[in-house]
Amino acid sequence: MTLILSHSDVTAVLDRGEVLAAVERAHADLALGTAFVPAPPAMALGGAAFVPMVAAAESAGAAAVKLLADLPANRARGLPVQRSVIVVTSAADGACEALIDGRLVTAVRTAAASAVATKHLARRSSSILGVIGAGNLAVEHTRAIATVRALETVLVWSRSAATVDRFRRATADLGLEVRALDSPQAVTRGADVLCTLTPSREPIVHGAWFGDGLHVNAVGAPPRADHREVDGEAMRRGRVVVDSVGTTLTKSGDTLLAIAEGAITQDAVSTELGEVITGRAVGRRDDRDITLFNSVGIGLQDLAAARLLIDKARANGIGTEVDLTA
């Protein structure tokens, strides 16, 4: 039987703390060679991009494909710019285990990966979070990072005051001071941990603004080689860690454009997060280091979350079971 989980089903069973722990284990598995993430191809159709994000993991006992559709024209239609669905296939018998709506999974696992990077790369004393962009991804990041660092203040910038107000309400239960600032530069200069969470095509954050000890999670840009949130100087000044080298060199405009400009070489993006987690590579060396996690997301993060959702949903009788072979 194949389990179908709608957005409301996912919402009912998803536990953010469990996803964070699963994403951390998944990145460690990738470094240890028990999980696999080939670099995803991209298919362009008109102005849309379709990216099949593939992964397999021994710990999940499964392989998965998340088909991500990136459609900028949807903004004018009042629809999500990015939509996705996750298909999970059993490694034991090849059966389709589940079909899962990817909207909430993508937001939560993205924030979880940033929190894992923050846990292993940011200064332990970090207490001021900066977010560039104040939408749902900023809410998820604030919640996730608050579990790995003792945050006191969130500095936030958005083009929309209404979005900042929604962010403030959505994070009120965390008891943090939320301060809206008038520019990305002001947020960057004031933060201990900075998250860029916009679909920007041109750099919205510049490396010249980085102070000693800053940790950056550059994760908002879509998986397109011509989109970037940070400039080449940011990539040059940061000690860069990526989720997957192959994916980064295929889909990250932050990286590819910095290389094309001569700001960095390919060697600068050779360290993966899983290697830092397992101690196979050095992340932060001291409190003056600037560290930068550059990520466009990998299917392994989706698989790790999907495994949790499938097991929990079945244990609680949530979702719809369908016999695809009938």
Side-chain angles (χ1 to χ4, degrees), residues 8-240:
S8 58
D9 294 330
V10 172
T11 301
V13 297
L14 184 143
D15 182 291
R16 288 166 172 77
E18 291 176 352
V19 172
L20 195 155
V23 166
E24 185 172 31
R25 289 193 301 271
H27 277 279
D29 288 345
L30 185 60
L32 296 171
T34 60
F36 309 93
V37 181
M43 300 170 286
L45 192 61
F50 296 90
V51 183
M53 302 172 69
V54 183
E58 292 179 9
S59 59
V65 180
K66 182 174 81 173
L67 182 59
L68 171 67
D70 183 58
L71 299 96
N74 269 5
R75 188 173 287 108
R77 303 181 182 116
L79 297 172
V81 171
Q82 291 192 347
R83 308 176 97 165
S84 60
V85 63
I86 304 164
V87 179
V88 181
T89 300
S90 169
D93 60 12
C96 179
E97 283 197 65
L99 183 68
I100 304 171
D101 180 75
R103 181 177 14 158
L104 185 58
V105 173
T106 300
V108 172
R109 64 78 155 151
T110 300
S114 293
V116 171
T118 301
K119 175 182 174 180
H120 291 276
L121 295 172
R123 289 174 296 168
R124 294 188 181 277
S125 61
S126 297
S127 63
I128 304 174
L129 174 65
V131 292
I132 307 295
N136 184 56
L137 201 54
V139 174
E140 293 292 348
H141 272 71
T142 301
R143 291 192 172 280
I145 292 172
T147 69
V148 299
R149 286 295 182 269
L151 297 182
E152 298 174 359
T153 304
V154 184
L155 309 178
V156 57
W157 175 86
S158 172
R159 290 187 174 92
S160 166
T163 304
V164 173
D165 288 341
R166 285 195 296 271
F167 172 85
R168 194 186 299 274
R169 291 193 298 271
T171 59
D173 60 301
L174 297 175
L176 303 173
E177 178 191 10
V178 176
R179 294 169 52 200
L181 300 186
D182 60 4
S183 68
Q185 181 176 357
V187 172
T188 301
R189 291 193 182 279
D192 298 322
V193 175
L194 178 72
C195 299
T196 63
L197 307 167
T198 72
S200 182
R201 186 162 189 162
E202 300 297 332
I204 200 165
V205 167
H206 296 266
W209 305 340
F210 290 178
D212 287 349
L214 178 67
H215 171 66
V216 181
N217 296 306
V219 299
R224 292 173 178 256
D226 61 347
H227 284 59
R228 68 200 305 198
E229 291 185 290
V230 302
D231 66 358
E233 178 69 1
M235 297 294 290
R236 186 192 68 79
R237 293 192 66 197
R239 189 172 179 82
V240 179

